[in-house]
Amino acid sequence: MKVLLFNGSPKTNGNTYQALCEAAHILNLAGINTEIIQVGSVRVSGCIACGGCAGGSGCVLPDPWFAQVTKKAIECDGMIFGSPVYFAGMNGTMKAFLDRLFYQRGIRQHFRLKVGAAVAVCRRAGSVGTFDEINHYFLISEMLIAPSTYWNNVLALQPGDAQNDGEGLRTMRNMARNMAWMLQMKQATRQAIPLPEAEKL
Ligand SMILES: Cc1cc2nc3c(=O)[nH]c(=O)nc-3n(C[C@H](O)[C@H](O)[C@H](O)COP(=O)(O)O)c2cc1C
């Protein structure tokens, strides 16, 4: 099994990355493969609402990086999206990325009943709103959400400060343990309990 962890920060080794690493470590201990995908330093265009994805083959913007990441997202078992908090919301690059990833017709159905988790990293304020924002993408895609012992946020300012937020890092580890359990439950019950069918509009 594999979980993708997306770092929305432009800082490749900043606090969001470190929060994600904490979760990845626990997933690895549970025998689950992980890959951290750097999003925040990529020039990601937002959705231009062209409707081109209605053809069912994904986003038609010429963007080989995005196409490759979409393929990985289809194939993985779980996804964790980490964003730094900018002005009390997720950062712009992460928003552009998530809008395009989840809007793709014919693609989003592959995310159905995969396990997801949101992570928000901030200095002081805005993490809960950011956490909620990211959860909206899971909930409209029929994804399962891994819970934790707090809302998944880490408080940190300068790169590296994340290591000083013991409760935040513990929240990441508990979320990752619960995600591992959900993935293992899904795998173990695959034959006995088939996935439910959704009614189509
Ligand atoms: C443009 C910008 C806006 C920010 N807005 C907020 C904010 O609204 N609330 C907050 O607590 N921190 C805010 N911060 C601080 C970052 O969220 C914080 O430094 C975080 O640790 C950055 O994560 P990173 O190291 O992964 O980039 C902001 C930082 C930047 C650059």
Side-chain angles (χ1 to χ4, degrees), residues 8-10 39-40 42 44-47 83-87 89-99 133 137:
S9 172
V39 173
V42 177
V44 185
S45 163
C47 176
S83 178
V85 173
Y86 284 3
F87 292 95
M90 78 175 98
N91 71 320
T93 310
M94 194 57 157
K95 170 91 172 122
F97 174 69
L98 287 177
D99 285 354
E133 271 188 288
Y137 295 87

Side-chain angles (χ1 to χ4, degrees), residues 33 70 149 199:
N33 294 320
T70 297
T149 41
E199 288 178 34

Side-chain angles (χ1 to χ4, degrees), residues 5-172:
L5 301 98
F6 298 86
N7 178 19
S9 172
K11 294 180 183 155
T12 53
N13 195 25
N15 294 312
T16 308
Y17 174 79
Q18 291 180 23
L20 293 175
C21 285
E22 195 75 11
H25 178 61
I26 296 297
L27 289 164
N28 294 154
L29 289 177
I32 294 165
N33 294 320
T34 55
E35 178 180 351
I36 297 188
I37 296 180
Q38 177 59 30
V39 173
S41 46
V42 177
R43 285 181 181 270
V44 185
S45 163
C47 176
I48 60 166
C50 65
C53 62
S57 305
C59 181
V60 297
L61 290 177
D63 186 344
W65 174 85
F66 184 82
Q68 192 195 24
V69 171
T70 297
K71 184 169 178 291
K72 288 183 179 186
I74 290 169
E75 291 168 356
C76 77
D77 300 284
M79 295 189 271
I80 301 176
F81 297 97
S83 178
V85 173
Y86 284 3
F87 292 95
M90 78 175 98
N91 71 320
T93 310
M94 194 57 157
K95 170 91 172 122
F97 174 69
L98 287 177
D99 285 354
R100 272 173 68 208
L101 183 65
F102 280 83
Y103 195 71
Q104 298 175 90
R105 316 262 171 84
I107 302 289
R108 195 171 71 193
Q109 71 216 38
H110 294 285
F111 301 162
R112 187 167 180 263
L113 300 169
K114 287 187 195 292
V115 185
V119 170
V121 177
C122 74
R123 180 184 75 85
R124 182 176 288 269
S127 61
V128 172
T130 303
F131 175 74
D132 291 345
E133 271 188 288
I134 297 173
N135 280 331
H136 290 159
Y137 295 87
F138 303 143
L139 290 165
I140 201 171
S141 310
E142 295 183 84
M143 286 178 66
L144 307 173
I145 297 178
S148 188
T149 41
Y150 202 83
W151 304 303
N152 302 327
N153 71 327
V154 168
L155 301 184
L157 176 59
Q158 300 301 338
D161 285 352
Q163 298 305 323
N164 301 324
D165 183 12
E167 183 177 357
L169 295 180
R170 187 180 64 196
T171 306
M172 297 303 123

